Amino acid sequence: MNILNSAEADVRQPRAQRQESAFFGNQCAEALLGPQRTAPDPFHTPTACRRTKRRIRDEYDGIEYCSSMFPTWRIATAKAAFQHWPRRAALGLAGWMALLGFPAAVIGVAATAKFFSAATELIVGVWLLLVVTTVLVAVWLWVWRVSELASKESSALYDVLRNIETSRLTLRRPAPKDAVPLEATIDDAMLASNGWTERNGRALIKAVGRGHPTPGLLVIESRSDTTVIGGATVHLSDDQTSFASIGWWIGPSHRRAGYASEAVAALVDAIHDTGYNSVEIGTNESNLAVQRICDKIGATEKDRRPQPLPDGSTVPGIWYEHHRVVTEPT
């Protein structure tokens, strides 16, 4: 199977497997498989991300996409609501139960009056059925409502980054038709460099193919023949005076053609154009290709520290930061 993050260069890898991408391991893994139980991802857990007002959306960004009828991302969103706002969540759920409970009670009273002479067990059974049905339907409607609100909030945040174009490339949101060509961009070298497993890759492709929310995911497409050649991830903070962080990958058949640096430069500029002052990029210290891209676009080294990956391994990480250039009016 072919997958993620490549750039011309991990010098310890054979040439055919050299990477054209920056870290986005934990961010994407959490978006597909749920929050990792290892140390927090230093790439994507700044103070701004911990704000209470973002918690539901952060939890929504960190979920697994499964059932096509009722994906578990909806359940994860509802769970986050209860964890962070238990009183408001309980009141919301109680509201749905009250809304459905009144007609259910009317039906129950009518049934009791009609079957008054029937066996007590029958009347109790009718009321029990009404109560259980009311609770299940109320929970289902509440979960659906909360998850839809979270989806709309996240979509609104990332709407500013649709259809970024360069001379050769288009960066856009994925569509279900992109699942197969996107899978072709994912290879073992990319999985290994990001600490991903094949489960991570399958979850990503499944989410795209089923049209489930994939916050911050963009496909990189060739403008000449509309071929999907890779992907990128963006993690935005709510505070537009703050920061965004990015990751990317280029498929094995399109590496060493300058696509990564072209896409990254355009993506960084687009993020700055939306009001974000700083864009952060992280990679393995041995990934010289990403470091060259960072130097090329004017990013500066910010920090070096160990980076835990989704598979439980830890690699020496290097962080770059690109600041918005503000020109003074003359």
Side-chain angles (χ1 to χ4, degrees):
M1 164 175 201
N2 292 330
I3 260 195
L4 316 175
N5 272 341
S6 95
E8 293 161 355
D10 188 337
V11 296
R12 297 179 300 177
Q13 296 178 336
R15 181 174 178 81
Q17 293 186 355
R18 290 177 184 174
Q19 294 294 300
E20 273 195 11
S21 66
F23 277 142
F24 59 96
N26 279 14
Q27 178 190 356
C28 284
E30 290 184 1
L32 299 167
L33 300 172
Q36 303 300 304
R37 301 307 178 191
T38 55
D41 185 355
F43 286 86
H44 306 293
T45 54
T47 302
C49 290
R50 298 198 234 357
R51 293 181 181 178
T52 301
K53 68 177 184 179
R54 296 192 60 210
R55 285 176 178 169
I56 280 190
R57 188 178 62 77
D58 285 346
E59 193 78 13
Y60 161 80
D61 285 350
I63 41 150
E64 181 177 3
Y65 304 91
C66 284
S67 165
S68 58
M69 175 178 286
F70 201 86
T72 55
W73 65 266
R74 294 189 183 276
I75 299 174
T77 306
K79 180 181 177 182
F82 260 113
Q83 288 177 338
H84 301 302
W85 292 286
R87 187 170 179 272
R88 289 172 57 187
L91 288 174
L93 182 56
W96 279 106
M97 289 185 178
L99 182 65
L100 297 174
F102 179 75
V106 171
I107 293 173
V109 170
T112 301
K114 183 175 181 179
F115 302 108
F116 184 76
S117 60
T120 304
E121 292 80 2
L122 177 60
I123 297 176
V124 172
V126 170
W127 277 100
L128 183 60
L129 177 62
L130 287 171
V131 169
V132 171
T133 302
T134 299
V135 170
L136 290 179
V137 173
V139 170
W140 186 87
L141 290 173
W142 179 79
V143 169
W144 191 276
R145 175 62 174 165
V146 170
S147 59
E148 282 299 299
L149 290 175
S151 177
K152 289 179 181 179
E153 181 184 351
S154 186
S155 295
L157 182 65
Y158 290 98
D159 265 348
V160 295
L161 294 176
R162 57 174 69 218
N163 294 342
I164 302 167
E165 293 188 346
T166 70
S167 60
R168 297 185 296 169
L169 304 172
T170 297
L171 283 73
R172 58 171 176 80
R173 286 187 175 184
K177 65 181 178 63
D178 296 319
V180 173
L182 190 63
E183 183 177 16
T185 68
I186 296 173
D187 63 6
D188 292 338
M190 296 161 76
L191 288 171
S193 67
N194 286 280
W196 276 40
T197 65
E198 288 192 2
R199 181 187 175 207
N200 297 104
R202 285 194 299 268
L204 173 64
I205 299 306
K206 184 185 295 184
V208 172
R210 289 178 173 176
H212 290 170
T214 50
L217 176 65
L218 300 171
V219 296
I220 303 174
E221 180 181 79
S222 170
R223 295 183 64 182
S224 61
D225 56 7
T226 67
T227 299
V228 174
I229 67 170
T233 60
V234 183
H235 190 76
L236 302 176
S237 66
D238 282 340
D239 181 1
Q240 289 191 323
T241 64
S242 186
F243 87 106
S245 53
I246 65 172
W248 67 87
W249 76 93
I250 299 296
S253 59
H254 294 91
R255 295 171 191 164
R256 292 178 290 279
Y259 289 127
S261 57
E262 183 176 335
V264 171
L267 181 57
V268 168
D269 286 344
I271 292 172
H272 285 320
D273 287 344
T274 64
Y276 289 87
N277 294 329
S278 175
V279 178
E280 190 176 57
I281 300 169
T283 190
N284 194 313
E285 286 185 358
S286 65
N287 195 329
L288 301 182
V290 171
Q291 295 174 44
R292 286 196 294 267
I293 291 173
C294 290
D295 291 338
K296 184 176 181 180
I297 67 173
T300 56
E301 183 178 333
K302 175 184 177 182
D303 193 15
R304 292 180 184 241
R305 59 181 180 270
Q307 164 65 15
L309 297 179
D311 64 359
S313 64
T314 301
V315 297
I318 179 171
W319 278 256
Y320 286 85
E321 193 170 40
H322 189 282
H323 291 281
R324 186 177 191 176
V325 177
V326 180
T327 56
E328 295 293 337
T330 56

